[in-house]
Amino acid sequence: MRRISAHYIFPGDGPLLKYGILEVDADGTILNIRDTGGIPEEFHGVEFYNGILIPGLVNAHCHLELSHLKGRVISAPGLVPFLDSVLAFRAEVCPYEVMEQADLNMEAEGIVAVGDISNTDHSFPVKQKSRLYYHSFLEGAAMDPLWSEKVMTRLRGLARGLEHYGLKGSLCPHAPYSVSDELFEKLLEESLHTGLPVSVHHQESFHEDLLFLKKEGDFVSFIEQQYPGFTTWIPPGKSSFDHLLPFFSRFPRLLLVHNTYSNPERLGSIAGLSDSVALVLCPRSNLMLEGRLPDVEGLSRTGLRIALGTDSLASNHELSIVSEMKVLQDAFPEIALTTLLQWATLNGAWALGLESCLGSFTPGYRPGINLVENADLQALRLLEKTRIRRIL
Ligand SMILES: [Zn+2]
C-alpha cells in the first residue's frame, strides 16, 4: 500500500483536504482518503508532493480521427467555413501513428477517459491499444429524412466494428442543423434501448439559431449542397434548443457540447433534467473557431452539470484539459478552482457514465492520481506554468 499526500487533495467534489492522505493499493485502487484536519501528520512511508492531488482528468469531447488536421484547417472565422474545410479532407485517413501520439499526449496530460466522436472506424485500433478509457460517440448526420434508415444502418455497422475491438460506444446525432427530426427519433429510440450517454454538438454557431428561427445564415447554403430537398424545409421559428427540447428531454443521458451561443435562462429551464443532461464546454476550440466563449458564468448557474472537452486537433493546438481550465479561469475569475476541478474530473466521468469507477477518490475506485504542480496554493489559482504530473 502507498500513502500519498500533498498540500491539498481534491477528492472529486467538495472542499479541498489540506494535507490529506490517500491510501492506495498496488494497482491504484483507492483504499482510504484521510482528512487530517489540515494538520500534517507524521506517517511512516508517506510520499509528500508539492501541489494538489486530483483524480484522473476526463476529456468529454474529442475527435481522435481528426488529429492529422492539426494546423491544417485554414478557414475564414466561423463554424461553417471550418466544417467546409474539414469536409474537404474527408477522403484523407488520419495515420495510426498520429492518433497514437495524440492518445499518448492525452495520457501525459493526466487524462484517463475520453468521450470521442467517431464518424469512421479509423481510430478503433488506437483506442483498443490505449491505456485510456474511450467511449466512442458514433456520429450520424442527414437532413434528408429519407436517409435516416441508411444512416442508422451505417452506424450499426460501425457499432459492430467497435464491439469487435472490445470498445464501448453509442449512436449519436451530429448536430441540430445536420440531423432530421426522423433521424433524431431513431437515435432516441436506440438510446432509450441502450441507456448509454449520447452526445450532440449544440449551438456552436449563432447561424444555428438563425437557421431554426428564420431559415437564414450560413447553414442554408451548407445544407442545400447536401440535401436539394431542403428548399421546401420550413423553419420551426424557434431556437434549435427549443425545437429539439422534446427529444433532449427524453434521452437517458445527453451531452450538449459547446453551447457557445446558448441562452443560460433557456438551458436553466431544464434544470429538472440535471440527472440526464450535461453541458460539455470546449473553450479553446470555441475561441479558435468563433472567437468567443459561452456564457460560462450563466451556464454554471443552470443547475446542469458541466464537463470539459478539448474538441479535435483541427480546432485546438493540444489535447489538454488543464489548458481548457486555464482559459476558463482567466475569462471567468469568479469560478472557483474546485468548481473547475470538479468539471474536469467527476462531472466528466458522469458525462461518460463512469461516475461509479472514475472521477473521484472514492474507496474502491481506480481513478488515477494526478498532481497539479506550480499552481498558486495561496490564492488557489492555476498559473501559466501550472502542469499536470501523473502520480499513478
Ligand atoms: Zn466536436
Side-chain angles (χ1 to χ4, degrees):
M1 181 181 76
R2 284 170 74 176
R3 292 191 177 92
I4 304 172
S5 183
H7 288 95
Y8 291 102
I9 294 179
F10 173 70
D13 60 359
L16 297 171
L17 302 179
K18 195 172 184 182
Y19 299 123
I21 297 170
L22 283 175
E23 295 176 347
V24 188
D25 212 345
D27 72 352
T29 304
I30 305 296
L31 299 173
N32 191 21
I33 175 165
R34 293 191 53 169
D35 182 355
T36 63
I39 300 155
E41 292 183 29
E42 288 290 329
F43 278 109
H44 176 68
V46 174
E47 302 166 41
F48 187 86
Y49 294 93
N50 292 319
I52 308 168
L53 293 170
I54 64 168
L57 297 165
V58 178
N59 182 357
H61 186 74
C62 188
H63 301 243
L64 204 57
E65 66 191 12
L66 299 181
S67 298
H68 61 307
L69 299 182
K70 183 179 179 182
R72 292 174 67 200
V73 181
I74 314 284
S75 67
L79 177 64
V80 180
F82 171 79
L83 292 173
D84 272 328
S85 312
V86 170
L87 287 174
F89 287 103
R90 199 164 21 187
E92 216 179 279
V93 177
C94 184
Y96 178 92
E97 301 72 30
V98 174
M99 288 186 278
E100 189 180 43
Q101 191 55 56
D103 171 78
L104 291 172
N105 290 349
M106 281 197 274
E107 184 179 355
E109 283 289 329
I111 291 167
V112 295
V114 184
D116 190 64
I117 306 286
S118 295
N119 286 276
T120 69
D121 59 1
H122 302 160
S123 62
F124 297 175
V126 179
K127 292 171 182 172
Q128 186 189 39
K129 198 183 156 207
S130 171
R131 284 183 289 266
L132 311 187
Y133 178 91
Y134 279 91
H135 181 98
S136 294
F137 293 113
L138 309 175
E139 189 179 76
M143 266 302 248
D144 186 342
L146 296 176
W147 277 64
S148 304
E149 203 43 58
K150 216 181 268 185
V151 171
M152 291 302 288
T153 304
R154 185 182 71 78
L155 293 182
R156 289 189 184 114
L158 262 187
R160 281 193 297 277
L162 196 68
E163 217 180 302
H164 171 76
Y165 282 96
L167 298 164
K168 290 266 184 290
S170 50
L171 279 48
C172 300
H174 167 251
Y177 56 79
S178 61
V179 174
S180 65
D181 290 358
E182 287 77 359
L183 182 52
F184 251 109
E185 187 63 50
K186 287 181 191 295
L187 290 164
L188 173 62
E189 276 169 33
E190 177 79 19
S191 171
L192 289 168
H193 177 67
T194 65
L196 292 168
V198 163
S199 140
V200 61
H201 294 81
H202 181 245
Q203 297 185 315
E204 189 177 356
S205 158
F206 70 90
H207 291 274
E208 185 172 313
D209 275 353
L210 270 184
L211 176 76
F212 281 84
L213 286 163
K214 302 177 186 171
K215 201 178 179 181
E216 290 176 3
D218 286 0
F219 279 119
V220 178
S221 58
F222 178 79
I223 297 167
E224 275 171 356
Q225 285 168 32
Q226 296 147 46
Y227 171 33
F230 187 62
T231 46
T232 59
W233 182 80
I234 298 166
K238 39 179 135 170
S239 73
S240 66
F241 171 77
D242 283 306
H243 174 63
L244 290 167
L245 194 49
F247 292 113
F248 289 172
S249 59
R250 289 164 63 206
F251 279 98
R253 194 164 291 193
L254 179 68
L255 317 187
L256 297 177
V257 181
H258 290 299
N259 312 295
T260 325
Y261 291 87
S262 293
N263 176 342
E265 276 180 28
R266 289 303 305 132
L267 289 187
S269 72
I270 57 166
L273 299 174
S274 63
D275 279 332
S276 58
V277 177
L279 309 175
V280 178
L281 307 180
C282 307
R284 301 213 328 160
S285 173
N286 297 155
L287 286 176
M288 189 183 271
L289 297 188
E290 291 283 333
R292 65 169 272 166
L293 293 170
D295 178 356
V296 179
E297 216 275 317
L299 295 178
S300 72
R301 285 187 271 106
T302 58
L304 300 171
R305 284 182 181 84
I306 293 178
L308 303 180
T310 59
D311 215 341
S312 76
L313 284 171
S315 61
N316 205 336
H317 300 298
E318 57 175 343
L319 306 179
S320 162
I321 290 297
V322 75
S323 294
E324 305 294 333
M325 290 169 62
K326 286 180 193 175
V327 167
L328 291 180
Q329 179 194 259
D330 291 348
F332 303 95
E334 65 279 13
I335 298 175
L337 178 59
T338 47
T339 301
L340 290 172
L341 288 171
Q342 182 173 334
W343 294 358
T345 56
L346 185 60
N347 288 10
W350 185 89
L352 303 186
L354 302 172
E355 70 276 17
S356 58
C357 55
L358 296 179
S360 67
F361 290 138
T362 302
Y365 289 16
R366 207 156 59 123
I369 302 174
N370 289 326
L371 179 71
V372 180
E373 279 186 313
N374 302 323
D376 180 342
L377 297 179
Q378 304 294 315
L380 291 174
R381 310 280 296 168
L382 304 174
L383 302 171
E384 184 52 41
K385 61 181 179 178
T386 299
R387 294 285 174 269
I388 295 290
R389 178 172 150 203
R390 289 186 76 103
I391 303 297
L392 226 156

